[in-house]
Amino acid sequence: MQRIGATEAVFRRLKSLIQGDEYAVGDRLPGELALAKEFGVSRPVVREALHACATLGLTETHTGRGTFVISKKENPRLTFAGVDAEDLIEARRLVEIPTAGYAAQRRTEEQLRHLFDILDHLANATDDREWVRYDGELHTAIAAASGNTMLTTFVADTRSALDLQSEFLNLTQDRRTDSDREHEAIVRAIEARSADAARAAMTEHLERVADTIARIGD
């Protein structure tokens, strides 16, 4: 089993146990090592799965004390690095959609080659965190291709929250393959110098992310 698949499997199992009758609110979960042995995986896999549970508002970890169940119900309003997921989407619509259009109009051949290089890195990424890093590089490179330094700065500054969101969605909602396809559509439109197509492709990408977030907790 690939590491990404193992982490997703452990996350789903933990969530099922927490939301079932195995644990009550206030109970402490077994330690990482015990859970790793139970599920037959490494501690980093368990750690990422526990982090996803915490993101959903199911658990809370206290240093030196362990991880405790704090809710049986997922929090429908997700936050990443202290930023509400819906606020992130709203801001991205305002900035990244027109930015993609500018990139199509203004990109250089060197910038285009860089975008395709990042697409290759995304396709060949061997683990989730590597993919997330290249995801951030792609969106930042698209902004750089717009030629607008303020837009580039904004996109780069949002990555602290967006990297956490991307990692979470890939782990819990299997977004990686769809994102790769959506990213390629954006870059192809930029290659064709079609501002309308680039804006439409970026819109599609952001709406798919928004739909995925909206389904969580349903």
Side-chain angles (χ1 to χ4, degrees), residues 51-71:
H51 181 71
C53 290
T55 300
L56 286 177
L58 299 174
T59 64
E60 190 171 85
T61 299
H62 299 275
T63 303
R65 294 177 55 205
T67 299
F68 296 83
V69 176
I70 61 172
S71 176

PDB file of all heavy atoms in Angstrom, residues 51-71:
ATOM      1  N   HIS A  51      -3.879  14.426  12.682  1.00  0.00           N
ATOM      2  CA  HIS A  51      -3.968  15.845  12.340  1.00  0.00           C
ATOM      3  C   HIS A  51      -5.232  16.126  11.542  1.00  0.00           C
ATOM      4  O   HIS A  51      -5.899  17.149  11.740  1.00  0.00           O
ATOM      5  CB  HIS A  51      -2.730  16.265  11.560  1.00  0.00           C
ATOM      6  CG  HIS A  51      -2.729  17.717  11.183  1.00  0.00           C
ATOM      7  ND1 HIS A  51      -2.558  18.724  12.100  1.00  0.00           N
ATOM      8  CD2 HIS A  51      -2.901  18.331   9.979  1.00  0.00           C
ATOM      9  CE1 HIS A  51      -2.617  19.894  11.498  1.00  0.00           C
ATOM     10  NE2 HIS A  51      -2.832  19.678  10.209  1.00  0.00           N
ATOM     11  N   ALA A  52      -5.574  15.215  10.630  1.00  0.00           N
ATOM     12  CA  ALA A  52      -6.799  15.384   9.840  1.00  0.00           C
ATOM     13  C   ALA A  52      -8.031  15.329  10.736  1.00  0.00           C
ATOM     14  O   ALA A  52      -8.987  16.095  10.553  1.00  0.00           O
ATOM     15  CB  ALA A  52      -6.881  14.312   8.756  1.00  0.00           C
ATOM     16  N   CYS A  53      -8.020  14.437  11.713  1.00  0.00           N
ATOM     17  CA  CYS A  53      -9.137  14.366  12.661  1.00  0.00           C
ATOM     18  C   CYS A  53      -9.263  15.666  13.452  1.00  0.00           C
ATOM     19  O   CYS A  53     -10.381  16.147  13.714  1.00  0.00           O
ATOM     20  CB  CYS A  53      -8.951  13.188  13.619  1.00  0.00           C
ATOM     21  SG  CYS A  53      -9.155  11.560  12.860  1.00  0.00           S
ATOM     22  N   ALA A  54      -8.128  16.238  13.827  1.00  0.00           N
ATOM     23  CA  ALA A  54      -8.152  17.506  14.551  1.00  0.00           C
ATOM     24  C   ALA A  54      -8.689  18.631  13.672  1.00  0.00           C
ATOM     25  O   ALA A  54      -9.434  19.497  14.138  1.00  0.00           O
ATOM     26  CB  ALA A  54      -6.753  17.847  15.051  1.00  0.00           C
ATOM     27  N   THR A  55      -8.319  18.622  12.388  1.00  0.00           N
ATOM     28  CA  THR A  55      -8.816  19.633  11.460  1.00  0.00           C
ATOM     29  C   THR A  55     -10.333  19.590  11.355  1.00  0.00           C
ATOM     30  O   THR A  55     -10.991  20.625  11.231  1.00  0.00           O
ATOM     31  CB  THR A  55      -8.188  19.440  10.065  1.00  0.00           C
ATOM     32  OG1 THR A  55      -6.763  19.569  10.168  1.00  0.00           O
ATOM     33  CG2 THR A  55      -8.723  20.469   9.072  1.00  0.00           C
ATOM     34  N   LEU A  56     -10.894  18.393  11.446  1.00  0.00           N
ATOM     35  CA  LEU A  56     -12.347  18.227  11.383  1.00  0.00           C
ATOM     36  C   LEU A  56     -13.023  18.574  12.709  1.00  0.00           C
ATOM     37  O   LEU A  56     -14.249  18.560  12.799  1.00  0.00           O
ATOM     38  CB  LEU A  56     -12.704  16.790  11.009  1.00  0.00           C
ATOM     39  CG  LEU A  56     -12.478  16.394   9.553  1.00  0.00           C
ATOM     40  CD1 LEU A  56     -12.799  14.917   9.364  1.00  0.00           C
ATOM     41  CD2 LEU A  56     -13.323  17.237   8.618  1.00  0.00           C
ATOM     42  N   GLY A  57     -12.227  18.870  13.744  1.00  0.00           N
ATOM     43  CA  GLY A  57     -12.806  19.223  15.040  1.00  0.00           C
ATOM     44  C   GLY A  57     -13.209  18.027  15.869  1.00  0.00           C
ATOM     45  O   GLY A  57     -13.974  18.171  16.836  1.00  0.00           O
ATOM     46  N   LEU A  58     -12.691  16.831  15.519  1.00  0.00           N
ATOM     47  CA  LEU A  58     -13.043  15.626  16.267  1.00  0.00           C
ATOM     48  C   LEU A  58     -12.129  15.400  17.461  1.00  0.00           C
ATOM     49  O   LEU A  58     -12.557  14.828  18.470  1.00  0.00           O
ATOM     50  CB  LEU A  58     -12.969  14.399  15.348  1.00  0.00           C
ATOM     51  CG  LEU A  58     -13.900  14.400  14.136  1.00  0.00           C
ATOM     52  CD1 LEU A  58     -13.605  13.190  13.254  1.00  0.00           C
ATOM     53  CD2 LEU A  58     -15.357  14.399  14.576  1.00  0.00           C
ATOM     54  N   THR A  59     -10.874  15.799  17.340  1.00  0.00           N
ATOM     55  CA  THR A  59      -9.897  15.546  18.395  1.00  0.00           C
ATOM     56  C   THR A  59      -9.089  16.794  18.706  1.00  0.00           C
ATOM     57  O   THR A  59      -9.084  17.764  17.937  1.00  0.00           O
ATOM     58  CB  THR A  59      -8.926  14.416  17.996  1.00  0.00           C
ATOM     59  OG1 THR A  59      -8.169  14.841  16.844  1.00  0.00           O
ATOM     60  CG2 THR A  59      -9.671  13.133  17.689  1.00  0.00           C
ATOM     61  N   GLU A  60      -8.387  16.720  19.806  1.00  0.00           N
ATOM     62  CA  GLU A  60      -7.495  17.794  20.212  1.00  0.00           C
ATOM     63  C   GLU A  60      -6.307  17.154  20.932  1.00  0.00           C
ATOM     64  O   GLU A  60      -6.484  16.292  21.790  1.00  0.00           O
ATOM     65  CB  GLU A  60      -8.227  18.753  21.139  1.00  0.00           C
ATOM     66  CG  GLU A  60      -7.491  20.035  21.440  1.00  0.00           C
ATOM     67  CD  GLU A  60      -8.389  21.016  22.179  1.00  0.00           C
ATOM     68  OE1 GLU A  60      -8.479  20.908  23.422  1.00  0.00           O
ATOM     69  OE2 GLU A  60      -9.024  21.863  21.526  1.00  0.00           O
ATOM     70  N   THR A  61      -5.099  17.571  20.548  1.00  0.00           N
ATOM     71  CA  THR A  61      -3.889  16.999  21.135  1.00  0.00           C
ATOM     72  C   THR A  61      -3.259  17.971  22.109  1.00  0.00           C
ATOM     73  O   THR A  61      -3.092  19.152  21.798  1.00  0.00           O
ATOM     74  CB  THR A  61      -2.878  16.631  20.032  1.00  0.00           C
ATOM     75  OG1 THR A  61      -3.467  15.646  19.173  1.00  0.00           O
ATOM     76  CG2 THR A  61      -1.606  16.055  20.636  1.00  0.00           C
ATOM     77  N   HIS A  62      -2.913  17.474  23.275  1.00  0.00           N
ATOM     78  CA  HIS A  62      -2.253  18.274  24.307  1.00  0.00           C
ATOM     79  C   HIS A  62      -0.869  17.682  24.554  1.00  0.00           C
ATOM     80  O   HIS A  62      -0.750  16.495  24.886  1.00  0.00           O
ATOM     81  CB  HIS A  62      -3.062  18.282  25.602  1.00  0.00           C
ATOM     82  CG  HIS A  62      -4.426  18.865  25.455  1.00  0.00           C
ATOM     83  ND1 HIS A  62      -4.667  20.215  25.535  1.00  0.00           N
ATOM     84  CD2 HIS A  62      -5.622  18.273  25.204  1.00  0.00           C
ATOM     85  CE1 HIS A  62      -5.960  20.444  25.367  1.00  0.00           C
ATOM     86  NE2 HIS A  62      -6.556  19.284  25.150  1.00  0.00           N
ATOM     87  N   THR A  63       0.153  18.488  24.380  1.00  0.00           N
ATOM     88  CA  THR A  63       1.524  18.017  24.556  1.00  0.00           C
ATOM     89  C   THR A  63       1.726  17.408  25.941  1.00  0.00           C
ATOM     90  O   THR A  63       1.382  18.017  26.957  1.00  0.00           O
ATOM     91  CB  THR A  63       2.521  19.178  24.362  1.00  0.00           C
ATOM     92  OG1 THR A  63       2.323  19.750  23.065  1.00  0.00           O
ATOM     93  CG2 THR A  63       3.952  18.677  24.471  1.00  0.00           C
ATOM     94  N   GLY A  64       2.245  16.200  25.949  1.00  0.00           N
ATOM     95  CA  GLY A  64       2.519  15.523  27.202  1.00  0.00           C
ATOM     96  C   GLY A  64       1.336  14.779  27.787  1.00  0.00           C
ATOM     97  O   GLY A  64       1.494  13.985  28.724  1.00  0.00           O
ATOM     98  N   ARG A  65       0.149  15.025  27.240  1.00  0.00           N
ATOM     99  CA  ARG A  65      -1.052  14.370  27.770  1.00  0.00           C
ATOM    100  C   ARG A  65      -1.693  13.410  26.773  1.00  0.00           C
ATOM    101  O   ARG A  65      -2.301  12.425  27.157  1.00  0.00           O
ATOM    102  CB  ARG A  65      -2.084  15.419  28.196  1.00  0.00           C
ATOM    103  CG  ARG A  65      -1.648  16.282  29.378  1.00  0.00           C
ATOM    104  CD  ARG A  65      -2.705  17.326  29.676  1.00  0.00           C
ATOM    105  NE  ARG A  65      -4.017  16.715  29.903  1.00  0.00           N
ATOM    106  CZ  ARG A  65      -5.174  17.343  29.722  1.00  0.00           C
ATOM    107  NH1 ARG A  65      -5.185  18.597  29.293  1.00  0.00           N
ATOM    108  NH2 ARG A  65      -6.314  16.722  29.958  1.00  0.00           N
ATOM    109  N   GLY A  66      -1.582  13.725  25.490  1.00  0.00           N
ATOM    110  CA  GLY A  66      -2.148  12.844  24.476  1.00  0.00           C
ATOM    111  C   GLY A  66      -3.242  13.509  23.664  1.00  0.00           C
ATOM    112  O   GLY A  66      -3.452  14.727  23.741  1.00  0.00           O
ATOM    113  N   THR A  67      -3.939  12.700  22.874  1.00  0.00           N
ATOM    114  CA  THR A  67      -5.004  13.180  21.985  1.00  0.00           C
ATOM    115  C   THR A  67      -6.350  12.750  22.544  1.00  0.00           C
ATOM    116  O   THR A  67      -6.557  11.574  22.871  1.00  0.00           O
ATOM    117  CB  THR A  67      -4.819  12.606  20.567  1.00  0.00           C
ATOM    118  OG1 THR A  67      -3.565  13.061  20.045  1.00  0.00           O
ATOM    119  CG2 THR A  67      -5.939  13.074  19.649  1.00  0.00           C
ATOM    120  N   PHE A  68      -7.277  13.700  22.631  1.00  0.00           N
ATOM    121  CA  PHE A  68      -8.582  13.455  23.243  1.00  0.00           C
ATOM    122  C   PHE A  68      -9.707  13.695  22.235  1.00  0.00           C
ATOM    123  O   PHE A  68      -9.610  14.573  21.374  1.00  0.00           O
ATOM    124  CB  PHE A  68      -8.782  14.375  24.454  1.00  0.00           C
ATOM    125  CG  PHE A  68      -7.810  14.121  25.566  1.00  0.00           C
ATOM    126  CD1 PHE A  68      -6.540  14.677  25.549  1.00  0.00           C
ATOM    127  CD2 PHE A  68      -8.177  13.315  26.638  1.00  0.00           C
ATOM    128  CE1 PHE A  68      -5.642  14.443  26.583  1.00  0.00           C
ATOM    129  CE2 PHE A  68      -7.280  13.083  27.675  1.00  0.00           C
ATOM    130  CZ  PHE A  68      -6.010  13.638  27.641  1.00  0.00           C
ATOM    131  N   VAL A  69     -10.770  12.923  22.372  1.00  0.00           N
ATOM    132  CA  VAL A  69     -11.970  13.127  21.558  1.00  0.00           C
ATOM    133  C   VAL A  69     -12.721  14.329  22.126  1.00  0.00           C
ATOM    134  O   VAL A  69     -13.037  14.365  23.321  1.00  0.00           O
ATOM    135  CB  VAL A  69     -12.878  11.883  21.593  1.00  0.00           C
ATOM    136  CG1 VAL A  69     -14.168  12.146  20.809  1.00  0.00           C
ATOM    137  CG2 VAL A  69     -12.139  10.675  21.019  1.00  0.00           C
ATOM    138  N   ILE A  70     -12.984  15.317  21.281  1.00  0.00           N
ATOM    139  CA  ILE A  70     -13.697  16.505  21.757  1.00  0.00           C
ATOM    140  C   ILE A  70     -15.073  16.654  21.104  1.00  0.00           C
ATOM    141  O   ILE A  70     -15.887  17.467  21.526  1.00  0.00           O
ATOM    142  CB  ILE A  70     -12.884  17.790  21.522  1.00  0.00           C
ATOM    143  CG1 ILE A  70     -12.610  18.012  20.028  1.00  0.00           C
ATOM    144  CG2 ILE A  70     -11.592  17.757  22.320  1.00  0.00           C
ATOM    145  CD1 ILE A  70     -11.979  19.356  19.726  1.00  0.00           C
ATOM    146  N   SER A  71     -15.342  15.850  20.061  1.00  0.00           N
ATOM    147  CA  SER A  71     -16.649  15.928  19.402  1.00  0.00           C
ATOM    148  C   SER A  71     -16.871  14.665  18.582  1.00  0.00           C
ATOM    149  O   SER A  71     -15.920  14.056  18.081  1.00  0.00           O
ATOM    150  CB  SER A  71     -16.732  17.160  18.496  1.00  0.00           C
ATOM    151  OG  SER A  71     -17.958  17.188  17.788  1.00  0.00           O
TER     152      SER A  71
END
